[in-house]
Amino acid sequence: DAARLWKNCAFVLSDLARARAGETALFIADAGSAANARALAECARALGLRALIVDIDPYGGAGRYLDLPVLPPLKAAILHADLSFMLTDQMLTDYGMFLGNSDDCDQALLGKSRRYTLEARGLAEWDFDPQAVLQDRARAERLLGLLRRSRRLHVTTARGADFTCEVGGRPAGM
């Protein structure tokens, strides 16, 4: 459904990534995510962004990218884009592999950079409540704020789990 695809692309770009007209958006794709990369790039252009798609299939193919060297042009594109979206299978790639630093993957997952890991399979079929997603995001950000200020974490569940741990030695970005 073309209308749903467009709605989902606009939600990802405008609401989740908070993209603004004039920014550059980089979409890193492989064969499995190429159609979604094109849809996101088209939507990005309609929103006034400058979009670029990088096809990484020639770089690593269907295999994992762990043993491949950092590709300087790809690294430069990621670092210089205002927003970048890794649309590939997360079991094969992550930002750390392309930037040469595993902390960069953690930073993307924590939302510390404007680098997003998004397995966009089924983007045209996604049927969700945008407000619920945004509320979940706000709740997660509040939880992260609480964790940042905490020294001890105590977790209990209705099934009887009860554990306490220290919250210290935080990874960069937490």
Short mmCIF file of all heavy atoms in Angstrom, two decimals, residues 6 9-10 13-14 18-27 39-52 82-83 114:
data_model
loop_
_atom_site.label_atom_id
_atom_site.label_comp_id
_atom_site.label_asym_id
_atom_site.label_seq_id
_atom_site.Cartn_x
_atom_site.Cartn_y
_atom_site.Cartn_z
N TRP A 6 4.31 5.58 2.49
CA TRP A 6 4.66 7.00 2.60
C TRP A 6 4.49 7.48 4.05
O TRP A 6 5.34 8.17 4.59
CB TRP A 6 3.81 7.82 1.64
CG TRP A 6 4.30 9.23 1.53
CD1 TRP A 6 3.84 10.32 2.21
CD2 TRP A 6 5.38 9.68 0.73
NE1 TRP A 6 4.55 11.42 1.86
CE2 TRP A 6 5.51 11.07 0.95
CE3 TRP A 6 6.24 9.06 -0.17
CZ2 TRP A 6 6.46 11.85 0.32
CZ3 TRP A 6 7.20 9.83 -0.79
CH2 TRP A 6 7.31 11.20 -0.56
N CYS A 9 7.32 6.08 6.18
CA CYS A 9 8.58 6.76 5.89
C CYS A 9 8.59 8.15 6.54
O CYS A 9 9.58 8.54 7.16
CB CYS A 9 8.79 6.88 4.39
SG CYS A 9 9.19 5.34 3.55
N ALA A 10 7.49 8.87 6.39
CA ALA A 10 7.41 10.22 6.97
C ALA A 10 7.51 10.15 8.50
O ALA A 10 8.16 11.00 9.12
CB ALA A 10 6.11 10.89 6.54
N LEU A 13 11.20 9.52 9.47
CA LEU A 13 12.05 10.70 9.24
C LEU A 13 11.65 11.88 10.12
O LEU A 13 12.50 12.46 10.80
CB LEU A 13 12.00 11.10 7.77
CG LEU A 13 12.60 10.07 6.81
CD1 LEU A 13 12.21 10.39 5.37
CD2 LEU A 13 14.11 10.02 6.97
N SER A 14 10.39 12.24 10.11
CA SER A 14 9.96 13.46 10.82
C SER A 14 9.83 13.27 12.31
O SER A 14 10.29 14.12 13.08
CB SER A 14 8.61 13.93 10.25
OG SER A 14 8.74 14.27 8.90
N ARG A 18 13.49 13.18 13.66
CA ARG A 18 13.38 14.64 13.77
C ARG A 18 14.18 15.34 12.68
O ARG A 18 14.89 16.33 12.92
CB ARG A 18 13.80 15.11 15.16
CG ARG A 18 12.93 14.54 16.26
CD ARG A 18 13.40 14.96 17.64
NE ARG A 18 12.56 14.39 18.68
CZ ARG A 18 13.00 13.60 19.64
NH1 ARG A 18 14.27 13.28 19.70
NH2 ARG A 18 12.16 13.12 20.53
N ALA A 19 14.05 14.81 11.45
CA ALA A 19 14.75 15.38 10.30
C ALA A 19 14.19 16.75 9.96
O ALA A 19 12.99 17.00 10.11
CB ALA A 19 14.60 14.44 9.11
N ARG A 20 15.08 17.63 9.51
CA ARG A 20 14.69 18.99 9.14
C ARG A 20 15.13 19.29 7.72
O ARG A 20 16.19 18.84 7.27
CB ARG A 20 15.30 19.99 10.11
CG ARG A 20 14.80 19.82 11.55
CD ARG A 20 15.45 20.79 12.52
NE ARG A 20 16.90 20.68 12.62
CZ ARG A 20 17.54 19.82 13.42
NH1 ARG A 20 16.87 19.00 14.18
NH2 ARG A 20 18.86 19.80 13.45
N ALA A 21 14.33 20.06 7.03
CA ALA A 21 14.64 20.46 5.66
C ALA A 21 16.06 21.03 5.60
O ALA A 21 16.49 21.74 6.51
CB ALA A 21 13.63 21.48 5.16
N GLY A 22 16.78 20.70 4.55
CA GLY A 22 18.15 21.17 4.36
C GLY A 22 19.20 20.23 4.90
O GLY A 22 20.38 20.34 4.56
N GLU A 23 18.81 19.27 5.74
CA GLU A 23 19.78 18.32 6.28
C GLU A 23 20.10 17.24 5.25
O GLU A 23 19.33 17.01 4.31
CB GLU A 23 19.24 17.66 7.55
CG GLU A 23 19.15 18.61 8.72
CD GLU A 23 18.70 17.93 10.00
OE1 GLU A 23 17.75 17.12 9.96
OE2 GLU A 23 19.32 18.20 11.04
N THR A 24 21.23 16.57 5.46
CA THR A 24 21.59 15.44 4.61
C THR A 24 21.21 14.15 5.32
O THR A 24 21.42 14.01 6.52
CB THR A 24 23.10 15.42 4.30
OG1 THR A 24 23.83 15.41 5.54
CG2 THR A 24 23.52 16.63 3.47
N ALA A 25 20.65 13.23 4.55
CA ALA A 25 20.24 11.92 5.08
C ALA A 25 20.91 10.85 4.25
O ALA A 25 20.78 10.81 3.03
CB ALA A 25 18.73 11.77 5.04
N LEU A 26 21.64 9.99 4.93
CA LEU A 26 22.35 8.88 4.29
C LEU A 26 21.62 7.59 4.62
O LEU A 26 21.32 7.32 5.79
CB LEU A 26 23.79 8.81 4.83
CG LEU A 26 24.64 7.63 4.39
CD1 LEU A 26 24.95 7.74 2.90
CD2 LEU A 26 25.92 7.57 5.21
N PHE A 27 21.33 6.79 3.60
CA PHE A 27 20.65 5.51 3.78
C PHE A 27 21.61 4.42 3.32
O PHE A 27 21.98 4.36 2.15
CB PHE A 27 19.35 5.48 2.98
CG PHE A 27 18.39 6.56 3.39
CD1 PHE A 27 18.34 7.75 2.69
CD2 PHE A 27 17.59 6.40 4.51
CE1 PHE A 27 17.48 8.77 3.08
CE2 PHE A 27 16.73 7.41 4.91
CZ PHE A 27 16.68 8.60 4.19
N ALA A 39 12.44 4.25 -0.95
CA ALA A 39 11.21 4.89 -0.44
C ALA A 39 11.55 5.96 0.59
O ALA A 39 10.99 7.07 0.55
CB ALA A 39 10.28 3.84 0.15
N LEU A 40 12.45 5.65 1.50
CA LEU A 40 12.85 6.63 2.52
C LEU A 40 13.55 7.83 1.88
O LEU A 40 13.30 8.97 2.28
CB LEU A 40 13.76 5.97 3.56
CG LEU A 40 13.03 5.09 4.58
CD1 LEU A 40 14.00 4.11 5.23
CD2 LEU A 40 12.34 5.95 5.64
N ALA A 41 14.40 7.58 0.90
CA ALA A 41 15.10 8.68 0.23
C ALA A 41 14.12 9.57 -0.53
O ALA A 41 14.24 10.80 -0.51
CB ALA A 41 16.17 8.13 -0.70
N GLU A 42 13.15 8.97 -1.18
CA GLU A 42 12.14 9.76 -1.90
C GLU A 42 11.35 10.62 -0.92
O GLU A 42 11.10 11.80 -1.17
CB GLU A 42 11.20 8.82 -2.66
CG GLU A 42 10.17 9.55 -3.50
CD GLU A 42 9.27 8.59 -4.25
OE1 GLU A 42 9.75 7.52 -4.68
OE2 GLU A 42 8.08 8.92 -4.40
N CYS A 43 10.95 10.05 0.18
CA CYS A 43 10.23 10.80 1.20
C CYS A 43 11.12 11.90 1.77
O CYS A 43 10.66 13.03 1.98
CB CYS A 43 9.75 9.86 2.30
SG CYS A 43 8.72 10.65 3.56
N ALA A 44 12.38 11.59 2.02
CA ALA A 44 13.31 12.58 2.55
C ALA A 44 13.42 13.78 1.59
O ALA A 44 13.38 14.94 2.03
CB ALA A 44 14.69 11.95 2.77
N ARG A 45 13.54 13.49 0.31
CA ARG A 45 13.62 14.59 -0.66
C ARG A 45 12.34 15.43 -0.63
O ARG A 45 12.39 16.65 -0.70
CB ARG A 45 13.90 14.04 -2.06
CG ARG A 45 15.34 13.60 -2.24
CD ARG A 45 15.67 13.27 -3.69
NE ARG A 45 14.90 12.14 -4.19
CZ ARG A 45 15.25 10.87 -4.08
NH1 ARG A 45 16.38 10.55 -3.48
NH2 ARG A 45 14.50 9.91 -4.58
N ALA A 46 11.17 14.77 -0.52
CA ALA A 46 9.90 15.50 -0.45
C ALA A 46 9.82 16.38 0.79
O ALA A 46 9.16 17.41 0.78
CB ALA A 46 8.73 14.53 -0.49
N LEU A 47 10.51 15.98 1.86
CA LEU A 47 10.54 16.76 3.09
C LEU A 47 11.63 17.84 3.07
O LEU A 47 11.82 18.54 4.06
CB LEU A 47 10.76 15.83 4.29
CG LEU A 47 9.63 14.85 4.59
CD1 LEU A 47 10.05 13.84 5.65
CD2 LEU A 47 8.37 15.59 5.02
N GLY A 48 12.35 17.94 1.96
CA GLY A 48 13.37 18.97 1.82
C GLY A 48 14.76 18.57 2.26
O GLY A 48 15.65 19.41 2.38
N LEU A 49 14.98 17.27 2.48
CA LEU A 49 16.31 16.80 2.84
C LEU A 49 17.10 16.47 1.59
O LEU A 49 16.53 16.25 0.51
CB LEU A 49 16.20 15.54 3.73
CG LEU A 49 15.85 15.77 5.18
CD1 LEU A 49 14.36 15.96 5.35
CD2 LEU A 49 16.33 14.63 6.03
N ARG A 50 18.40 16.42 1.74
CA ARG A 50 19.27 15.95 0.67
C ARG A 50 19.59 14.50 0.99
O ARG A 50 20.21 14.21 2.00
CB ARG A 50 20.54 16.81 0.61
CG ARG A 50 20.21 18.26 0.20
CD ARG A 50 21.40 19.17 0.32
NE ARG A 50 21.67 19.33 1.76
CZ ARG A 50 22.85 19.65 2.26
NH1 ARG A 50 23.88 19.83 1.48
NH2 ARG A 50 23.01 19.78 3.55
N ALA A 51 19.15 13.59 0.13
CA ALA A 51 19.25 12.16 0.41
C ALA A 51 20.30 11.48 -0.47
O ALA A 51 20.47 11.83 -1.63
CB ALA A 51 17.89 11.50 0.18
N LEU A 52 20.98 10.50 0.13
CA LEU A 52 21.97 9.70 -0.57
C LEU A 52 21.82 8.26 -0.11
O LEU A 52 21.71 8.00 1.09
CB LEU A 52 23.39 10.20 -0.25
CG LEU A 52 24.55 9.36 -0.78
CD1 LEU A 52 24.60 9.42 -2.30
CD2 LEU A 52 25.86 9.83 -0.18
N ASP A 82 24.07 14.52 8.28
CA ASP A 82 23.33 14.96 9.46
C ASP A 82 22.61 13.79 10.11
O ASP A 82 22.53 13.71 11.33
CB ASP A 82 22.32 16.05 9.08
CG ASP A 82 23.00 17.32 8.60
OD1 ASP A 82 23.87 17.83 9.32
OD2 ASP A 82 22.66 17.79 7.49
N LEU A 83 22.06 12.91 9.28
CA LEU A 83 21.37 11.70 9.75
C LEU A 83 21.85 10.54 8.90
O LEU A 83 22.06 10.70 7.71
CB LEU A 83 19.85 11.81 9.52
CG LEU A 83 19.13 13.00 10.03
CD1 LEU A 83 18.45 13.73 8.91
CD2 LEU A 83 18.09 12.53 11.01
N ARG A 114 22.91 10.96 15.61
CA ARG A 114 21.76 10.92 14.70
C ARG A 114 22.01 9.81 13.68
O ARG A 114 21.75 9.95 12.51
CB ARG A 114 21.54 12.28 14.07
CG ARG A 114 21.09 13.28 15.17
CD ARG A 114 20.69 14.58 14.65
NE ARG A 114 19.38 14.50 14.01
CZ ARG A 114 18.95 15.41 13.15
NH1 ARG A 114 19.70 16.43 12.83
NH2 ARG A 114 17.76 15.29 12.62
#
